[in-house]
Amino acid sequence: QVRLQESGGGSVKDGGSLTLTCVISGDTDRRKNMAWFRQAPGKWREGVAVVYFDGTSSYYSGSVKGRFTITQDYFKNTVYLQMNNLKPEDSAMYYCAADFFPYVGNWRDSSGFDVWGQGTQVTVSA
């Protein structure tokens, strides 16, 4: 069984930065794609970024590309989301998620992910 625990959320001003951390525990040897999603009140859960299990590829939503970076430290079993130049529209609850084989065809499809963390809140003020 795999468990995910996010941290690093907080309140920042427009243009600020935050780094979110997702610690993976349990059966950490299982191959998995790791992603960050976010959900604002009244909105659908949105895929923000994904890093594939072998670390060779990562993808971003158009709204964060160039500002956010997803990385994975395999030795520490941790996934990070570095967020720069934050905007008020980035405010949301951010979730870490794991997708085990067989992998979901569209990484933005949250229904295909197998394990979720509890989330960490990010608030960006103007």
Short mmCIF file of all heavy atoms in Angstrom, two decimals, residues 6 35-48 92-97 107-111 113 115-119:
data_model
loop_
_atom_site.label_atom_id
_atom_site.label_comp_id
_atom_site.label_asym_id
_atom_site.label_seq_id
_atom_site.Cartn_x
_atom_site.Cartn_y
_atom_site.Cartn_z
N GLU A 6 1.20 15.47 1.49
CA GLU A 6 1.64 16.76 0.96
C GLU A 6 1.96 17.74 2.08
O GLU A 6 1.39 17.65 3.18
CB GLU A 6 0.57 17.39 0.06
CG GLU A 6 0.08 16.53 -1.08
CD GLU A 6 -1.19 15.79 -0.73
OE1 GLU A 6 -1.41 15.51 0.47
OE2 GLU A 6 -1.98 15.49 -1.66
N ALA A 35 1.79 12.82 -10.06
CA ALA A 35 1.22 14.06 -10.58
C ALA A 35 0.76 14.96 -9.44
O ALA A 35 0.54 14.52 -8.32
CB ALA A 35 0.06 13.75 -11.50
N TRP A 36 0.62 16.21 -9.80
CA TRP A 36 -0.02 17.20 -8.93
C TRP A 36 -1.30 17.66 -9.60
O TRP A 36 -1.31 17.98 -10.80
CB TRP A 36 0.89 18.40 -8.69
CG TRP A 36 2.03 18.13 -7.78
CD1 TRP A 36 3.30 17.76 -8.13
CD2 TRP A 36 2.03 18.20 -6.35
NE1 TRP A 36 4.07 17.59 -7.01
CE2 TRP A 36 3.32 17.87 -5.90
CE3 TRP A 36 1.05 18.52 -5.40
CZ2 TRP A 36 3.66 17.84 -4.54
CZ3 TRP A 36 1.39 18.51 -4.06
CH2 TRP A 36 2.67 18.17 -3.64
N PHE A 37 -2.36 17.69 -8.82
CA PHE A 37 -3.64 18.24 -9.25
C PHE A 37 -4.00 19.39 -8.32
O PHE A 37 -3.45 19.52 -7.23
CB PHE A 37 -4.74 17.17 -9.18
CG PHE A 37 -4.65 16.12 -10.25
CD1 PHE A 37 -3.75 15.07 -10.14
CD2 PHE A 37 -5.47 16.17 -11.37
CE1 PHE A 37 -3.66 14.10 -11.13
CE2 PHE A 37 -5.39 15.21 -12.36
CZ PHE A 37 -4.48 14.18 -12.24
N ARG A 38 -4.96 20.18 -8.76
CA ARG A 38 -5.45 21.23 -7.88
C ARG A 38 -6.96 21.39 -8.10
O ARG A 38 -7.48 21.07 -9.16
CB ARG A 38 -4.75 22.56 -8.14
CG ARG A 38 -5.01 23.18 -9.51
CD ARG A 38 -4.13 24.42 -9.69
NE ARG A 38 -4.37 25.06 -10.98
CZ ARG A 38 -3.65 26.09 -11.42
NH1 ARG A 38 -2.64 26.58 -10.70
NH2 ARG A 38 -3.92 26.63 -12.59
N GLN A 39 -7.60 21.86 -7.06
CA GLN A 39 -9.04 22.08 -7.14
C GLN A 39 -9.41 23.32 -6.36
O GLN A 39 -9.15 23.40 -5.15
CB GLN A 39 -9.81 20.88 -6.62
CG GLN A 39 -11.30 20.96 -6.88
CD GLN A 39 -12.00 19.64 -6.64
OE1 GLN A 39 -11.48 18.74 -5.98
NE2 GLN A 39 -13.19 19.50 -7.20
N ALA A 40 -10.00 24.26 -7.05
CA ALA A 40 -10.50 25.49 -6.42
C ALA A 40 -11.99 25.31 -6.14
O ALA A 40 -12.65 24.49 -6.79
CB ALA A 40 -10.26 26.68 -7.34
N PRO A 41 -12.53 26.04 -5.19
CA PRO A 41 -13.96 25.91 -4.86
C PRO A 41 -14.83 26.11 -6.09
O PRO A 41 -14.66 27.07 -6.84
CB PRO A 41 -14.17 27.01 -3.83
CG PRO A 41 -12.84 27.20 -3.19
CD PRO A 41 -11.85 26.98 -4.29
N GLY A 42 -15.74 25.15 -6.31
CA GLY A 42 -16.67 25.26 -7.42
C GLY A 42 -16.10 24.89 -8.77
O GLY A 42 -16.77 25.05 -9.79
N LYS A 43 -14.87 24.39 -8.79
CA LYS A 43 -14.23 24.02 -10.06
C LYS A 43 -13.85 22.55 -10.07
O LYS A 43 -13.74 21.91 -9.03
CB LYS A 43 -13.00 24.90 -10.31
CG LYS A 43 -13.33 26.36 -10.52
CD LYS A 43 -12.10 27.13 -10.97
CE LYS A 43 -12.45 28.59 -11.27
NZ LYS A 43 -11.26 29.34 -11.74
N TRP A 44 -13.63 22.04 -11.31
CA TRP A 44 -13.18 20.66 -11.46
C TRP A 44 -11.74 20.53 -10.98
O TRP A 44 -10.99 21.47 -10.97
CB TRP A 44 -13.25 20.25 -12.94
CG TRP A 44 -14.63 20.20 -13.50
CD1 TRP A 44 -15.20 21.11 -14.34
CD2 TRP A 44 -15.62 19.20 -13.28
NE1 TRP A 44 -16.49 20.73 -14.64
CE2 TRP A 44 -16.78 19.56 -14.01
CE3 TRP A 44 -15.65 18.01 -12.52
CZ2 TRP A 44 -17.93 18.78 -14.01
CZ3 TRP A 44 -16.81 17.25 -12.53
CH2 TRP A 44 -17.92 17.64 -13.27
N ARG A 45 -11.39 19.29 -10.62
CA ARG A 45 -10.01 19.02 -10.27
C ARG A 45 -9.18 19.06 -11.55
O ARG A 45 -9.51 18.40 -12.53
CB ARG A 45 -9.88 17.66 -9.59
CG ARG A 45 -8.53 17.38 -9.01
CD ARG A 45 -8.55 16.22 -8.04
NE ARG A 45 -9.30 16.55 -6.83
CZ ARG A 45 -9.30 15.79 -5.74
NH1 ARG A 45 -8.60 14.66 -5.72
NH2 ARG A 45 -10.01 16.12 -4.69
N GLU A 46 -8.11 19.82 -11.51
CA GLU A 46 -7.30 20.09 -12.70
C GLU A 46 -5.91 19.48 -12.58
O GLU A 46 -5.25 19.67 -11.55
CB GLU A 46 -7.17 21.62 -12.88
CG GLU A 46 -6.23 22.04 -13.98
CD GLU A 46 -5.92 23.52 -13.95
OE1 GLU A 46 -6.18 24.18 -12.92
OE2 GLU A 46 -5.39 24.03 -14.96
N GLY A 47 -5.48 18.78 -13.62
CA GLY A 47 -4.12 18.27 -13.64
C GLY A 47 -3.14 19.41 -13.86
O GLY A 47 -3.30 20.19 -14.80
N VAL A 48 -2.14 19.51 -13.00
CA VAL A 48 -1.17 20.60 -13.06
C VAL A 48 0.13 20.13 -13.71
O VAL A 48 0.65 20.79 -14.61
CB VAL A 48 -0.90 21.15 -11.65
CG1 VAL A 48 0.21 22.18 -11.68
CG2 VAL A 48 -2.17 21.72 -11.04
N ALA A 92 -5.77 27.30 -4.75
CA ALA A 92 -6.53 26.05 -4.79
C ALA A 92 -5.97 25.11 -3.74
O ALA A 92 -4.92 25.36 -3.15
CB ALA A 92 -6.42 25.39 -6.17
N MET A 93 -6.68 23.99 -3.55
CA MET A 93 -6.12 22.88 -2.79
C MET A 93 -5.31 22.05 -3.78
O MET A 93 -5.83 21.68 -4.84
CB MET A 93 -7.24 22.04 -2.17
CG MET A 93 -6.73 20.93 -1.27
SD MET A 93 -6.03 21.54 0.26
CE MET A 93 -7.54 21.87 1.17
N TYR A 94 -4.07 21.76 -3.43
CA TYR A 94 -3.19 21.00 -4.29
C TYR A 94 -3.04 19.59 -3.74
O TYR A 94 -2.78 19.39 -2.55
CB TYR A 94 -1.82 21.69 -4.39
CG TYR A 94 -1.83 22.87 -5.33
CD1 TYR A 94 -2.49 24.04 -4.98
CD2 TYR A 94 -1.19 22.82 -6.56
CE1 TYR A 94 -2.52 25.13 -5.85
CE2 TYR A 94 -1.21 23.89 -7.43
CZ TYR A 94 -1.88 25.04 -7.07
OH TYR A 94 -1.90 26.12 -7.93
N TYR A 95 -3.18 18.62 -4.66
CA TYR A 95 -3.12 17.21 -4.30
C TYR A 95 -2.02 16.50 -5.06
O TYR A 95 -1.81 16.75 -6.26
CB TYR A 95 -4.44 16.51 -4.63
CG TYR A 95 -5.64 17.04 -3.90
CD1 TYR A 95 -6.42 18.05 -4.45
CD2 TYR A 95 -6.01 16.53 -2.66
CE1 TYR A 95 -7.53 18.54 -3.79
CE2 TYR A 95 -7.12 17.00 -1.99
CZ TYR A 95 -7.88 18.02 -2.56
OH TYR A 95 -8.97 18.50 -1.90
N CYS A 96 -1.35 15.61 -4.38
CA CYS A 96 -0.39 14.71 -4.98
C CYS A 96 -1.12 13.40 -5.29
O CYS A 96 -1.97 12.96 -4.50
CB CYS A 96 0.74 14.48 -3.98
SG CYS A 96 2.03 13.37 -4.52
N ALA A 97 -0.79 12.77 -6.43
CA ALA A 97 -1.48 11.55 -6.82
C ALA A 97 -0.51 10.59 -7.49
O ALA A 97 0.43 11.02 -8.16
CB ALA A 97 -2.63 11.88 -7.76
N TRP A 107 -3.01 11.89 -18.61
CA TRP A 107 -2.60 12.16 -17.23
C TRP A 107 -3.47 13.21 -16.56
O TRP A 107 -3.52 13.30 -15.35
CB TRP A 107 -1.13 12.58 -17.18
CG TRP A 107 -0.81 13.92 -17.76
CD1 TRP A 107 -0.44 14.21 -19.05
CD2 TRP A 107 -0.84 15.19 -17.08
NE1 TRP A 107 -0.24 15.54 -19.20
CE2 TRP A 107 -0.46 16.17 -18.01
CE3 TRP A 107 -1.14 15.57 -15.77
CZ2 TRP A 107 -0.38 17.52 -17.68
CZ3 TRP A 107 -1.05 16.92 -15.44
CH2 TRP A 107 -0.68 17.88 -16.39
N ARG A 108 -4.18 13.99 -17.35
CA ARG A 108 -5.06 15.00 -16.77
C ARG A 108 -6.36 14.40 -16.23
O ARG A 108 -7.15 15.09 -15.59
CB ARG A 108 -5.38 16.08 -17.79
CG ARG A 108 -4.17 16.91 -18.20
CD ARG A 108 -4.56 17.98 -19.20
NE ARG A 108 -3.42 18.79 -19.63
CZ ARG A 108 -2.61 18.44 -20.60
NH1 ARG A 108 -2.79 17.30 -21.24
NH2 ARG A 108 -1.59 19.22 -20.94
N ASP A 109 -6.57 13.12 -16.51
CA ASP A 109 -7.78 12.45 -16.06
C ASP A 109 -7.59 11.97 -14.64
O ASP A 109 -6.97 10.94 -14.40
CB ASP A 109 -8.09 11.28 -17.00
CG ASP A 109 -9.35 10.53 -16.59
OD1 ASP A 109 -10.01 10.94 -15.62
OD2 ASP A 109 -9.66 9.53 -17.26
N SER A 110 -8.12 12.70 -13.69
CA SER A 110 -7.90 12.38 -12.28
C SER A 110 -8.50 11.03 -11.90
O SER A 110 -8.03 10.38 -10.96
CB SER A 110 -8.47 13.48 -11.39
OG SER A 110 -9.87 13.59 -11.56
N SER A 111 -9.51 10.57 -12.63
CA SER A 111 -10.16 9.30 -12.29
C SER A 111 -9.23 8.12 -12.50
O SER A 111 -9.48 7.04 -11.97
CB SER A 111 -11.43 9.12 -13.12
OG SER A 111 -11.12 8.95 -14.49
N PHE A 113 -6.07 7.95 -11.52
CA PHE A 113 -5.03 7.87 -10.49
C PHE A 113 -5.52 7.03 -9.32
O PHE A 113 -6.69 7.05 -8.95
CB PHE A 113 -4.62 9.27 -10.06
CG PHE A 113 -3.69 9.91 -11.05
CD1 PHE A 113 -4.16 10.39 -12.27
CD2 PHE A 113 -2.33 9.99 -10.81
CE1 PHE A 113 -3.32 10.93 -13.21
CE2 PHE A 113 -1.47 10.54 -11.74
CZ PHE A 113 -1.97 11.02 -12.94
N VAL A 115 -3.93 6.54 -6.01
CA VAL A 115 -3.74 6.94 -4.62
C VAL A 115 -3.61 8.46 -4.55
O VAL A 115 -2.92 9.06 -5.40
CB VAL A 115 -2.47 6.29 -4.00
CG1 VAL A 115 -2.27 6.75 -2.56
CG2 VAL A 115 -2.58 4.77 -4.06
N TRP A 116 -4.22 9.05 -3.53
CA TRP A 116 -4.22 10.50 -3.36
C TRP A 116 -3.80 10.89 -1.96
O TRP A 116 -4.06 10.16 -1.00
CB TRP A 116 -5.64 11.05 -3.60
CG TRP A 116 -6.09 10.91 -5.01
CD1 TRP A 116 -6.63 9.81 -5.61
CD2 TRP A 116 -6.04 11.93 -6.03
NE1 TRP A 116 -6.91 10.06 -6.93
CE2 TRP A 116 -6.56 11.36 -7.22
CE3 TRP A 116 -5.60 13.24 -6.06
CZ2 TRP A 116 -6.64 12.08 -8.41
CZ3 TRP A 116 -5.69 13.95 -7.23
CH2 TRP A 116 -6.21 13.37 -8.41
N GLY A 117 -3.15 12.06 -1.88
CA GLY A 117 -2.88 12.63 -0.59
C GLY A 117 -4.06 13.45 -0.10
O GLY A 117 -5.09 13.54 -0.80
N GLN A 118 -3.91 14.05 1.06
CA GLN A 118 -4.99 14.82 1.67
C GLN A 118 -5.08 16.23 1.14
O GLN A 118 -6.10 16.90 1.30
CB GLN A 118 -4.81 14.85 3.19
CG GLN A 118 -4.95 13.48 3.83
CD GLN A 118 -6.33 12.91 3.63
OE1 GLN A 118 -7.33 13.54 3.90
NE2 GLN A 118 -6.39 11.68 3.11
N GLY A 119 -4.01 16.70 0.53
CA GLY A 119 -4.01 18.04 -0.04
C GLY A 119 -3.34 19.07 0.84
O GLY A 119 -3.24 18.92 2.05
#
